[in-house]
Every structure is written in structure tokens, then in C-alpha cells.
Amino acid sequence: EAGVAQSPRYKIIEKRQSVAFWCNPISGHATLYWYQQILGQGPKLLIQFQNNGVVDDSQLPKDRFSAERLKGVDSTLKIQPAKLEDSAVYLCASRPSRGAHIQYFGAGTRLSVL
Amino acid sequence: AQKITQTQPGMFVQEKEAVTLDCTYDTSDPSYGLFWYKQPSSGEMIFLIYQGSYDQQNATEGRYSLNFQKARKSANLVISASQLGDSAMYFCAMPGRYIFGTGTRLKVLA
């Protein structure tokens, strides 16, 4: 079974530029999460999707961050415009069903904003 | 509100010995769970073990066991017979809002 795929693995941009990250969850997983992990900290949940609907985006900085999950499969997370403090690893995770709590994570995208 | 606290920024353990990583939590939910994840230098979060608040026995998964003390609100991870490959960051987390602690960096010494 293929795991959660994320791309790119690394991205370097300058502040005020835009960037997008892509995630392909494990096949059949209805729930998808995006996390931000700043160096030295634990992951922070940004947004949770159930199929193609948003369940929780309370910690998503909506003035610059946006996310979508068209057709309930792949998802993209966008930052526009980026700030220095957005430098972090962006992790995508998926979960098979409401009854199963275990999340499966991708390898993440490491973003450096200069 | 939920909160996870990991007070050990770093730990060392000798190969083949056991080590305990601490985690305390706070929640007002009557039913909850606790996870532990491992994050090696490659960056991917790897699920290790899960404990539900109403589980009668402490969870075990191979060399990993969870010392769950509900009254103390602690869910410590015990790794037995440490291996060099266990060197990584370890995170305690709670589902629902998926709150993670700040992690403990474990280094296994040969």
C-alpha cells in the first residue's frame, strides 16, 4: 500500500512570494490533515478535511494560507504572500475513517523563506 | 481545551537498556486517547502506540509500552531494549484537535 505522498520535499522562496504544496493521501482515506511544524516544536494542525469538506480550519492563518481538497482526494496548501515566520516543515497526514484515530504522515515539505 | 506537556527536551540511553519518555496531558473530555509518534531525521512521523482512556490495560506494541496513569494524567512511553535506530524525536499527541507536545529527542548510545 502506497503511503502519503507530498511534493516538493524542499522549497526555498523569498518573502512575499507564493508557494504551493501538494499531498496525495493513502487511497480510500477520507480524512486529510495539514500540519505546520516549526523547528524545535511539535506539529500544529492547520486544517482538517473530511472528504472535500473542511472540518476544522481554526488555526489556519486565512489572510495568507488557503487549502483545498477537490474531489476528496488530493489536496493543495498555498501560502500567499509568504513571511519569514512561515519557514517550517509542512506535513500532510491521512486517516481511514472516523473510528480509527491513527494518522499516517507523509515525509513533509521543508519550506525556507528568505 | 487540550494540552500536552513533554518536559524532557533530550534523553540519552545506552543501547539495550530501557528508557521512559514522559508525557502529561490535560483535557476536559470524558473520553480521550493518547498517541506516541516517532520522527526520525528523515522527517516522517511514524505511529508507535495508542491508548484509549477507557482501555483496561496499558497498551503494548512490540518493544513499546505505554505507562498510562489516568489519575496523574500521564501517558509515558517505555522503550525496552533500546536500539541505535531508536534515536529520533518522540512526540506525545492527543486526537480530536490533534494536539502534539514539544517532543523529546532520544539518543541511543552504542
Side-chain angles (χ1 to χ4, degrees):
Chain A
E1 180 181 70
V4 177
Q6 289 189 248
S7 67
R9 284 300 313 275
Y10 305 93
K11 190 73 177 179
I12 301 174
I13 61 172
E14 295 190 349
K15 60 183 179 184
R16 291 188 289 272
Q17 285 186 326
S18 301
V19 65
F21 314 127
W22 174 81
C23 173
N24 188 346
I26 294 172
S27 177
H29 282 198
T31 311
L32 185 147
Y33 308 82
W34 282 102
Y35 289 87
Q36 180 192 58
Q37 186 177 18
I38 293 173
L39 186 64
Q41 300 181 17
K44 183 183 83 171
L45 180 65
L46 293 176
I47 189 166
Q48 175 184 346
F49 291 95
Q50 179 76 18
N51 296 310
N52 60 349
V54 175
V55 174
D56 183 358
D57 63 356
S58 58
Q59 298 192 96
L60 186 74
K62 298 180 187 64
D63 57 333
R64 297 183 301 106
F65 286 65
S66 64
E68 62 181 9
R69 191 183 183 197
L70 299 176
K71 300 180 182 178
V73 182
D74 294 7
S75 178
T76 57
L77 176 69
K78 297 179 181 178
I79 307 175
Q80 180 179 13
K83 292 186 176 182
L84 297 177
E85 58 262 35
D86 298 332
S87 294
V89 175
Y90 291 84
L91 294 164
C92 179
S94 69
R95 187 164 66 86
S97 71
R98 284 183 176 274
H101 292 295
I102 300 170
Q103 295 180 313
Y104 297 86
F105 283 80
T109 296
R110 185 177 297 276
L111 174 67
S112 297
V113 182
L114 307 178
Chain B
Q2 297 175 326
K3 186 177 180 181
I4 297 286
T5 302
Q6 294 180 255
T7 58
Q8 305 156 312
M11 291 279 288
F12 290 94
V13 64
Q14 207 66 37
E15 193 178 10
K16 300 179 185 177
E17 291 186 349
V19 63
T20 297
L21 306 183
D22 295 341
C23 172
T24 58
Y25 62 90
D26 193 17
T27 180
S28 56
D29 294 336
S31 178
Y32 55 90
L34 278 303
F35 290 105
W36 278 90
Y37 282 88
K38 171 184 178 182
Q39 188 176 42
S41 56
S42 58
E44 188 169 344
M45 299 284 281
I46 302 168
F47 167 77
L48 295 179
I49 196 166
Y50 173 79
Q51 176 85 42
S53 59
Y54 286 104
D55 291 343
Q56 295 296 318
Q57 294 184 325
N58 286 346
T60 59
E61 292 282 350
R63 295 186 299 111
Y64 304 107
S65 61
L66 209 152
N67 183 1
F68 185 53
Q69 298 187 42
K70 202 169 178 179
R72 293 187 174 187
K73 294 190 174 181
S74 72
N76 299 338
L77 177 70
V78 180
I79 305 174
S80 62
S82 297
Q83 301 172 356
L84 295 178
D86 294 335
S87 294
M89 284 290 291
Y90 289 81
F91 291 95
C92 182
M94 181 173 282
R97 295 296 303 276
Y98 285 96
I99 305 296
F100 281 75
T102 52
T104 296
R105 182 173 298 280
L106 178 66
K107 176 70 175 177
V108 181
L109 305 174

